Amino acid sequence: KSQSATKAVVAVAKAEHGVAAIHKALTRHRTNMDVTAYAVGLLFRISEHADGRGQRAMPPKALQELRMSLADVAVAMQGFKKCKEIQRYGCGAIARVLGSSGDENKKSTDKDTGEVVLQVRGSASRLCRKAGGVPAVLHAISTYHDDITLQYYACLAVQVLTSQDDKRKVAVAGGIRFAM
């Protein structure tokens, strides 16, 4: 990845309306696979700056817009199930944004295993789930089992999209067989 491409992505992420413009393109052109793939890909690239740390940290308003765009990413994944790029970048954006450290994330310890668990709270996670984020990610896992990058991000996405209670729903939907 070239440095100029990275600088351009950082500039969009920091721009006052950069993420909002990508989000708007994603919602306005839902039926155009090329525009959707490009928009989801950009959101994925921008999402690497969602942790709010360092020189490349996103402004809070842009971060909130990025979080709110995840429901549309889930819709795009459902609309273009045969487009591997949309599936890969969609899973990646969901995993990175909802899994990033920030004010909507809370770590807790599982009382049975003693394992540290990341629990995602907030409207972005709920909206993404309501838009079909979990079934979209599970479909990507089962369809593109040969894409290791997609598998990695999809597993993280399932982790951050689901609460302990939702884990049973994931298992019933077929998620458990992918972990074995």
Side-chain angles (χ1 to χ4, degrees):
K1 297 173 186 170
S2 72
Q3 284 185 335
S4 61
T6 300
K7 286 180 183 178
V9 168
V10 171
V12 169
K14 286 186 171 184
E16 186 177 346
H17 302 290
V19 177
I22 296 167
H23 186 188
K24 187 183 286 186
L26 183 60
T27 57
R28 284 190 177 171
H29 302 283
R30 286 185 198 272
T31 59
N32 184 319
M33 187 173 73
D34 292 334
V35 172
T36 300
Y38 190 68
V40 173
L42 279 172
L43 292 172
F44 169 73
R45 290 287 310 273
I46 290 169
S47 69
E48 94 180 273
H49 307 289
D51 67 2
R53 295 176 292 184
Q55 287 183 310
R56 297 181 178 177
M58 294 177 69
K61 190 172 182 176
L63 180 57
Q64 185 60 32
E65 185 70 37
L66 182 59
R67 288 176 176 154
M68 293 298 109
S69 70
L70 295 179
D72 291 308
V73 168
V75 170
M77 290 174 68
Q78 291 174 334
F80 296 103
K81 291 180 178 182
K82 293 184 179 182
C83 181
K84 187 188 261 188
E85 288 76 23
I86 290 173
Q87 302 303 311
R88 180 187 310 122
Y89 296 139
C91 288
I94 291 168
R96 282 179 169 178
V97 174
L98 295 180
S100 66
S101 61
D103 57 353
E104 291 188 329
N105 297 336
K106 178 182 173 184
K107 289 185 180 180
S108 66
T109 304
D110 186 304
K111 58 185 169 189
D112 296 329
T113 64
E115 184 179 310
V116 174
V117 178
L118 180 66
Q119 295 178 332
V120 178
R121 299 175 302 158
S123 55
S125 180
R126 282 190 298 277
L127 287 172
C128 191
R129 284 194 308 270
K130 283 184 177 183
V134 174
V137 171
L138 291 177
H139 180 269
I141 289 173
S142 65
T143 304
Y144 299 104
H145 55 274
D146 62 329
D147 187 326
I148 293 173
T149 303
L150 184 147
Q151 293 291 312
Y152 171 77
Y153 284 122
C155 288
L156 291 175
V158 168
Q159 175 68 24
V160 298
L161 276 174
T162 55
S163 67
Q164 291 298 86
D165 294 335
D166 290 335
K167 301 285 188 241
R168 283 184 226 106
K169 293 177 188 174
V170 172
V172 168
I176 197 72
R177 75 172 184 252
F178 302 117
M180 298 182 157

